[in-house]
């Protein structure tokens, strides 16, 4: 019931650690945080390798060749500039993985169940979280509103941008990691892909536990948040929604755009581009999550470069350029290191890691930001830290294993 009133991965090997790694909290930033983060314990995650099985990939449902000419437009709140004030407090950034649409598949006692319990949230939990955030006066903002690029003495520099918000509102950035719908997700309770519905709006395609095809607007973050903002326009500043962080080794958004030699490549690419265009129209932006979900701290410089170049070759042409790099595994490379300099030079001045509290640090050529992981682990073990956002005890879904 909707309460509106109320994841290194080697190519060819699907490792569950790619999911758990997104929430590793070993990458605290350097510099002065907005709030002094508490010391974090690094968590070692067990890798469960699951070889991909292309034969189990679902057939592509029949979809329109192109979206309707006049799809429904997102409603945006009209801000009165006289009611805006400069915001100088901490900026919260929370992130999720794709939602558990079918808990009976996620929590079925197999080798993947614990990982799903640790690193995902259910639809019910997400509904409760966004309602609580709204009631706590949070407002979604575009991550690019935090900084601007200027030319000084012939050099491009990054500077903080004055953040103007409606009075009594607090800024919130929301991001989604691994919205690629890897092969293992198709058997463990996630939806299969994002699609356009008959009205040209974002929906999901999946098969339920009975094997029945399902098209829904109520089992994934994007259509749920789209509907919530439509009902509560004051939850979004200038129509902002969130950041979609994509890898590339199994395509994007449920479309296997990595299979460049497939006879269906052009058709698959066309469908993906239609969905991407609609996402951009409705306030969603994109980030690089690396091509192969590699730990930037642990891999060699050359491998990081090759991985980034492959992402730019296969994924960037689909989503367009992005200035945001969201570190896989939450790792953050050392500021000023060759890897850091490479990422910035490659066009990623916004570098996002994982931490327990708001953190935002500016350098002349980058912005470093920490994100809170919202998942089973944080809901069960970090309830006090989450208090500024929501009451975790009220959020937890009873369907979770106890």
């Amino acid at each position: 019931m909707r309460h509106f009133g109320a994841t290194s991965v080697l190519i060819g090997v699907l490792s569950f650690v790619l999911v758990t790694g997104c929430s590793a909290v070993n990458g605290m930033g350097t510099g002065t945080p907005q709030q002094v983060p508490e010391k974090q314990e690094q968590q070692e995650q067990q890798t469960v390798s699951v070889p991909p099985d292309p034969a189990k990939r679902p057939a592509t449902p029949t979809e329109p060749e192109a979206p309707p000419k006049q799809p429904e437009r997102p409603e945006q709140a009209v801000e009165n500039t006289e009611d805006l004030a400069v915001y100088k407090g901490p900026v919260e950034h929370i992130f999720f993985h794709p939602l558990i649409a079918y808990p009976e598949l996620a929590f079925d006692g197999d080798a993947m169940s614990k990982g799903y319990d640790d690193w995902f949230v259910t639809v019910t939990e997400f509904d409760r979280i966004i309602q609580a955030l709204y009631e706590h006066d949070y407002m979604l903002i575009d991550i690019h509103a935090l900084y601007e690029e200027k030319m000084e003495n012939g050099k491009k520099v990054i500077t903080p941008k004055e953040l103007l918000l409606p009075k009594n509102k607090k800024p919130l950035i929301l991001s989604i990691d691994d919205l690629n719908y890897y092969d293992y997700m198709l058997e463990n309770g996630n939806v299969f892909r994002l699609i356009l519905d008959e009205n040209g709006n974002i929906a999901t395609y999946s098969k339920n536990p009975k094997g029945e095809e399902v098209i829904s607007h109520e089992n994934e973050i994007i259509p749920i948040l789209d509907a919530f903002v439509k009902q509560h326009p004051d939850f979004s500043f200038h129509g902002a929604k969130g950041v979609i962080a994509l890898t590339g080794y199994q395509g994007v958004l449920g479309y296997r755009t990595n299979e460049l030699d497939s006879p269906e490549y052009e058709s698959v690419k066309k469908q993906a581009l239609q969905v991407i265009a609609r996402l951009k129209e409705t306030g969603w932006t994109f980030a690089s999550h690396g091509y192969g979900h590699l730990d930037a701290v642990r891999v060699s410089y050359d491998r990081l470069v090759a991985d980034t170049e492959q992402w730019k070759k296969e994924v960037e042409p689909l989503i367009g350029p992005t200035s945001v790099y969201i570190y896989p595994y939450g790792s953050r490379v050392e500021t000023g290191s060759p890897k850091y300099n490479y990422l910035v030079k490659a066009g990623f001045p916004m570098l996002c890691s994982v931490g327990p509290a708001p953190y935002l640090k500016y350098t002349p050529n980058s912005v470093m930001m920490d994100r809170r992981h919202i998942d089973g682990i944080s809901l069960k073990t970090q309830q006090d830290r989450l208090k500024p956002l929501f009451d975790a005890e009220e959020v937890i879904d009873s369907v979770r294993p106890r």
Side-chain angles (χ1 to χ4, degrees):
M1 178 180 295
R2 188 77 63 245
H3 299 279
F4 281 167
T7 174
S8 113
V9 176
L10 299 178
I11 304 305
V13 178
L14 181 58
S15 170
F16 189 64
V17 77
L18 68 89
V19 178
T20 60
C22 280
S23 294
V25 289
N26 60 353
M28 287 300 299
T30 57
T32 304
Q34 297 168 331
Q35 297 177 356
V36 180
E38 301 174 32
K39 184 177 181 180
Q40 304 172 78
E41 295 182 0
Q42 187 170 353
Q43 300 179 12
E44 295 294 333
Q45 301 301 327
Q46 181 178 5
T47 300
V48 180
S49 296
V50 183
D53 186 353
K56 293 184 178 180
R57 186 173 309 140
T60 302
T62 302
E63 297 175 19
E65 283 296 314
K69 294 182 180 181
Q70 294 182 330
E72 181 179 329
R73 289 294 172 187
E75 296 186 6
Q76 298 183 13
V78 178
E79 290 89 15
N80 186 338
T81 56
E82 295 181 356
D83 294 330
L84 300 182
V86 177
Y87 179 84
K88 296 183 178 181
V91 180
E92 291 280 1
H93 187 163
I94 61 175
F95 83 94
F96 301 83
H97 291 105
L99 296 184
I100 297 173
Y102 303 107
E104 59 268 51
L105 297 180
F107 305 137
D108 58 359
D110 67 6
M112 309 289 271
S113 294
K114 185 180 187 306
Y116 269 79
D117 189 28
D118 286 348
W119 304 107
F120 291 78
V121 301
T122 68
V123 171
T124 296
E125 289 167 342
F126 184 75
D127 286 340
R128 293 170 178 171
I129 288 168
I130 59 173
Q131 179 64 40
L133 290 167
Y134 178 68
E135 292 173 356
H136 283 74
D137 295 321
Y138 283 98
M139 175 179 250
L140 296 168
I141 66 167
D142 190 329
I143 194 171
H144 303 91
L146 298 177
Y147 69 97
E148 55 187 337
E149 298 180 343
K150 294 182 177 180
M151 295 300 297
E152 293 184 2
N153 300 320
K155 285 186 176 183
K156 184 182 294 185
V157 297
I158 300 294
T159 61
K161 191 173 183 179
E162 186 176 69
L163 186 57
L164 290 171
L165 288 179
K167 295 177 181 178
N168 301 318
K169 287 289 187 178
K170 296 172 289 188
L172 175 70
I173 297 172
L174 182 149
S175 53
I176 314 169
D177 286 8
D178 303 294
L179 202 71
N180 300 77
Y181 301 114
Y182 308 121
D183 287 347
Y184 78 85
M185 291 182 175
L186 312 187
E187 299 177 350
N188 286 281
N190 302 106
V191 302
F192 292 6
R193 64 177 64 88
L194 300 184
I195 62 171
L196 298 181
D197 65 14
E198 66 275 12
N199 296 314
N201 295 312
I202 299 295
T204 67
Y205 168 82
S206 62
K207 288 186 178 180
N208 65 21
K210 296 180 180 180
E212 301 165 334
E213 293 189 340
V214 176
I215 294 177
S216 175
H217 299 86
E218 299 186 343
N219 58 9
E220 185 54 282
I221 291 173
I222 289 172
I224 291 175
L225 198 56
D226 285 346
F228 191 88
V229 170
K230 181 178 180 181
Q231 185 168 353
H232 305 285
D234 56 330
F235 187 53
S236 169
F237 190 57
H238 295 312
K241 299 289 177 56
V243 184
I244 302 170
L246 297 175
T247 60
Y249 75 97
Q250 283 196 335
V252 300
L253 306 175
Y255 299 89
R256 296 301 183 250
T257 53
N258 58 303
E259 298 178 354
L260 305 181
D261 296 329
S262 169
E264 299 179 353
Y265 174 75
E266 290 301 328
S267 174
V268 168
K269 176 182 175 181
K270 181 177 180 180
Q271 293 175 61
L273 287 172
Q274 291 173 355
V275 172
I276 289 165
R278 185 59 179 155
L279 288 167
K280 290 181 176 180
E281 289 174 352
T282 51
W284 294 91
T285 61
F286 292 90
S288 172
H289 201 38
Y291 184 85
H293 203 279
L294 305 181
D295 188 325
V297 171
R298 297 189 178 189
V299 301
S300 68
Y301 172 89
D302 289 342
R303 192 170 181 197
L304 177 63
V305 170
D307 181 81
T308 305
E309 289 179 348
Q310 190 168 6
W311 190 90
K312 284 182 166 288
K313 179 181 178 180
E314 289 188 21
V315 182
E316 186 175 278
L318 300 173
I319 65 170
T322 175
S323 60
V324 183
Y325 189 91
I326 290 180
Y327 290 104
Y329 301 93
S331 297
R332 172 180 286 142
V333 301
E334 184 179 352
T335 304
S337 68
K339 291 177 182 178
Y340 164 90
N341 291 333
Y342 168 74
L343 288 172
V344 172
K345 186 177 180 180
F348 301 111
M350 170 61 78
L351 301 167
C352 297
S353 184
V354 175
Y359 178 94
L360 188 60
K361 173 69 177 180
Y362 296 85
T363 75
N365 60 1
S366 71
V367 186
M368 293 173 286
M369 189 175 205
D370 278 356
R371 310 178 298 152
R372 296 181 190 248
H373 57 104
I374 308 300
D375 47 35
I377 286 182
S378 63
L379 292 179
K380 293 179 180 180
T381 69
Q382 300 175 10
Q383 297 181 349
D384 288 342
R385 292 178 180 174
L386 294 175
K387 283 291 186 182
L389 301 169
F390 53 82
D391 186 333
E393 292 185 356
E394 295 182 357
V395 164
I396 292 180
D397 195 332
S398 61
V399 74
R400 281 190 179 274
R402 295 293 179 172

